[in-house]
Amino acid sequence: MKHGFDPTIMPDTSQDLLALYLKRLELRSTLGSEERSAILSLPAEICRVDVAHDFVRIGQPVDHACLIVEGLVARFAQLRNGQRGIVALHIPGDMADLHSVVAKEVSWALHATTPSTIARIPHEALRELTRQYPAIAFAFWRDCVVDASVLAQWALNLSRKDAAARVAHLFSEMRHRYAAIGALEANGIPFPITQTNLADALGLTSIHLNRVLKRFREEAIAVKTPDKVEIYNAPRLAALGEFDDAYLQCLPDPQPAS
Amino acid sequence: MKHGFDPTIMPDTSQDLLALYLKRLELRSTLGSEERSAILSLPAEICRVDVAHDFVRIGQPVDHACLIVEGLVARFAQLRNGQRGIVALHIPGDMADLHSVVAKEVSWALHATTPSTIARIPHEALRELTRQYPAIAFAFWRDCVVDASVLAQWALNLSRKDAAARVAHLFSEMRHRYAAIGALEANGIPFPITQTNLADALGLTSIHLNRVLKRFREEAIAVKTPDKVEIYNAPRLAALGEFDDAYLQCLPDPQPAS
DNA sequence: CGCATACTTGAAATAGTTCAAAAGACGTGG
DNA sequence: CCACGTCTTTTGAACTATTTCAAGTATGCG
């Protein structure tokens, strides 16, 4: 396991995985039946990835994109000098590095914050689909644009909001995204990440984040446990973080997943 | 001029504009001769835009993308409550809102920080090109990905660097980008932006930015004037900002424009 | 049971903000 | 061409959010 992979191939479940991804695409794009079945026929190789392990590294050439099937994955931007920071978090259904299909060079790392499952989809298969179906090309391109939109929102948070608002915004965003894939839990969301990693993503020290979390706990707004965030006052959280879901650009809404 | 436009059509120069854009695309993508001439045949409507005026507004439906021909344009992310901040700066040759070709909703505003010239290219023409030429679809998609890469880098700057490093990084980035379009001046770069707007983009108060600029002036690193930045010590600036051009993802380099 | 990692808390230091105000640039109309 | 108002830049001083340093308490794993 020198790459941190356990590249067990499980072809019988790949339909399910791709259905997950298809559902994700259809959150934002309209596809015809031919295009749908083309997506569902993509080849996929399932891997388990270790926690705290970069399964995509800077500089390393890649010939596949990673669909998150289960778990939580952090995307790190990294400078040549090694300095790095989390710039995005990916949940099941996200194709974490769709960018790599068209990017010359991988300029980020992917890292599981909890033991996770990913599906590796060959770039060439994705490219072939975009050549055959312009609608799929648009859907991929659009998903990259939404990813950029999330990033822009995040830059806005970092530059203008204080610590509490940033935490509140991120919790609200994750809540919205988990809701979109039908994974809201009774009173909260899965969020298996350490305070250290969370602080990194938020541009805070873990010490300061800890104090903010303490405040949220004391004021019964939200409680972070190792694996999840229990949200007791979602409206308050959204207000604190000045959260507005427009930037996630979902389609009018095909009814909330029951 | 109720829209702040002066929609003078100058068809005779549109070849030049599109050549500018083609050159930009070819910085990162390889195109065949058929594709090249398709780009050069795009329809374009030239407009002058007033300084300090949003020529693309949130919510406003758009049916065209804006190619910056001359000047400097800021992209603002904006919340529904009106709070906004600069998340990107665009120089000539940039298609500032290529995203809008595939985005359902425009979630940012474009605003000229100096009197500028833009060319409006109809979405439908751009879409038609991507349907006909997969290579062009890849090139557009790739440019959006690079835009996201710049944004990720910027998020990293905001979350981990102090004021001086952020200023130094932005100056270094702009220098690199102006160099790529062959617009480096003798001892500096064009940068027609007020300290207030620059501070906004950097996530600083204009007061603090002013003190950083003073320091750079005193230490003979760089001097900001209303219209430009004179750079006296580019290596120092790059080191201070820990600038590493990899994220701009240009191709191996077709020789620096003389 | 012991070691490593994650979390929590306190106190001191500081980068950056806020408030306040003056001095310089620039265009407009008298 | 000068006076005026507006906008930008510059500077000072007080304040505060966040970091840094330091230490202690849980928690989980071999």
Side-chain angles (χ1 to χ4, degrees):
Chain A
M1 263 223 318
K2 79 169 186 239
H3 295 97
F5 289 128
D6 176 7
T8 321
I9 301 178
M10 312 182 201
D12 49 307
T13 61
S14 82
Q15 278 281 319
D16 297 341
L17 309 178
L18 292 163
L20 178 74
Y21 186 54
L22 178 59
K23 198 177 148 202
R24 157 61 44 96
L25 285 177
E26 291 191 303
L27 232 70
R28 301 192 177 109
S29 303
T30 309
L31 298 172
S33 62
E34 220 187 321
E35 287 132 2
R36 269 194 223 107
S37 55
I39 295 278
L40 292 173
S41 312
L42 278 166
E45 185 193 357
I46 300 190
C47 306
R48 292 242 79 201
V49 296
D50 293 342
V51 67
H53 191 278
D54 286 11
F55 58 93
V56 171
R57 271 194 234 75
I58 311 275
Q60 192 191 44
V62 285
D63 59 359
H64 59 269
C66 300
L67 170 64
I68 314 303
V69 176
E70 201 213 318
L72 186 62
V73 166
R75 194 161 93 219
F76 280 85
Q78 184 167 337
L79 273 53
R80 276 203 237 274
N81 68 22
Q83 220 196 13
R84 55 192 260 165
I86 296 174
V87 292
L89 292 171
H90 291 290
I91 68 175
D94 288 355
M95 188 79 87
D97 56 354
L98 226 203
H99 318 76
S100 62
V101 174
V102 294
K104 292 288 161 191
E105 196 183 330
V106 175
S107 52
W108 54 81
L110 293 178
H111 168 118
T113 68
T114 190
S116 302
T117 308
I118 60 166
R120 311 209 286 175
I121 322 252
H123 283 165
E124 199 37 48
L126 292 166
R127 278 197 207 100
E128 188 49 36
L129 242 53
T130 63
R131 281 188 213 105
Q132 268 179 54
Y133 304 100
I136 292 182
F138 281 122
F140 288 166
W141 179 5
R142 178 173 299 127
D143 265 32
C144 282
V145 164
V146 171
D147 185 85
S149 180
V150 172
L151 224 36
Q153 190 64 42
W154 195 243
L156 203 58
N157 286 344
L158 289 169
S159 71
R160 317 196 107 59
K161 290 181 186 159
D162 66 16
R166 281 186 223 168
V167 175
H169 192 282
L170 184 58
F171 284 0
S172 298
E173 176 185 313
M174 295 310 277
R175 183 170 188 274
H176 189 95
R177 287 167 61 191
Y178 275 114
I181 59 169
L184 267 194
E185 294 180 3
N187 53 356
I189 55 175
F191 210 160
I193 188 172
T194 61
Q195 288 187 18
T196 309
N197 276 330
L198 190 53
D200 184 298
L202 289 158
L204 298 171
T205 56
S206 62
I207 291 131
H208 198 60
L209 169 64
N210 184 275
R211 296 198 234 264
V212 172
L213 292 177
K214 182 185 180 188
R215 198 191 115 198
F216 282 8
R217 197 187 316 130
E218 285 171 355
E219 297 184 11
I221 298 170
V223 177
K224 173 81 180 73
T225 67
D227 285 346
K228 50 192 288 194
V229 179
E230 281 154 25
I231 296 176
Y232 296 120
N233 194 339
R236 179 85 196 286
L237 208 55
L240 250 173
E242 296 176 285
F243 178 76
D244 171 354
D245 65 15
Y247 70 98
L248 293 167
Q249 298 185 40
C250 294
L251 284 178
D253 194 3
Q255 298 315 303
S258 68
Chain B
M1 262 221 317
K2 80 169 186 238
H3 294 98
F5 287 128
D6 177 5
T8 320
I9 301 178
M10 314 180 198
D12 48 306
T13 60
S14 82
Q15 278 280 321
D16 296 342
L17 308 177
L18 293 163
L20 178 72
Y21 186 55
L22 178 59
K23 199 177 148 202
R24 158 61 45 95
L25 285 177
E26 291 192 302
L27 230 66
R28 302 191 178 109
S29 304
T30 310
L31 298 172
S33 62
E34 221 187 320
E35 287 132 3
R36 269 194 223 108
S37 55
I39 295 278
L40 292 173
S41 312
L42 278 166
E45 185 192 357
I46 299 192
C47 305
R48 293 242 76 202
V49 296
D50 293 343
V51 66
H53 191 278
D54 285 11
F55 59 92
V56 171
R57 271 194 234 75
I58 312 275
Q60 191 191 46
V62 285
D63 59 359
H64 59 269
C66 301
L67 171 64
I68 314 303
V69 177
E70 201 213 318
L72 186 63
V73 166
R75 194 161 92 219
F76 280 86
Q78 184 168 337
L79 274 53
R80 275 203 237 275
N81 68 21
Q83 219 197 13
R84 55 192 260 165
I86 297 174
V87 292
L89 292 171
H90 291 289
I91 67 174
D94 287 356
M95 188 80 85
D97 56 355
L98 225 204
H99 318 74
S100 62
V101 173
V102 294
K104 293 287 161 192
E105 196 182 329
V106 174
S107 53
W108 55 80
L110 294 178
H111 168 117
T113 67
T114 189
S116 302
T117 308
I118 60 164
R120 309 209 288 176
I121 321 256
H123 282 164
E124 200 35 51
L126 291 165
R127 278 197 207 100
E128 188 49 37
L129 241 53
T130 63
R131 279 188 214 105
Q132 268 180 53
Y133 304 99
I136 292 182
F138 281 123
F140 288 166
W141 180 5
R142 178 172 299 128
D143 265 32
C144 282
V145 164
V146 171
D147 185 84
S149 179
V150 172
L151 225 36
Q153 189 64 41
W154 194 243
L156 201 58
N157 286 342
L158 288 169
S159 71
R160 318 196 106 60
K161 290 182 186 160
D162 67 14
R166 282 187 222 167
V167 175
H169 192 282
L170 183 57
F171 285 1
S172 298
E173 176 184 315
M174 294 310 277
R175 183 169 187 274
H176 189 95
R177 288 167 61 192
Y178 275 114
I181 59 168
L184 268 194
E185 294 180 3
N187 52 356
I189 54 174
F191 210 161
I193 188 171
T194 61
Q195 288 187 18
T196 308
N197 277 330
L198 191 54
D200 184 296
L202 289 159
L204 299 170
T205 55
S206 63
I207 290 129
H208 198 61
L209 169 63
N210 184 275
R211 297 197 233 264
V212 172
L213 291 177
K214 183 185 179 187
R215 198 191 116 197
F216 281 8
R217 197 188 315 129
E218 286 170 356
E219 296 185 10
I221 299 170
V223 177
K224 173 81 179 72
T225 67
D227 285 345
K228 51 193 285 195
V229 179
E230 282 154 25
I231 295 176
Y232 296 121
N233 195 340
R236 180 84 196 284
L237 208 56
L240 250 174
E242 296 175 286
F243 178 75
D244 171 353
D245 65 15
Y247 70 98
L248 293 167
Q249 297 185 40
C250 294
L251 284 178
D253 194 2
Q255 299 313 304
S258 69

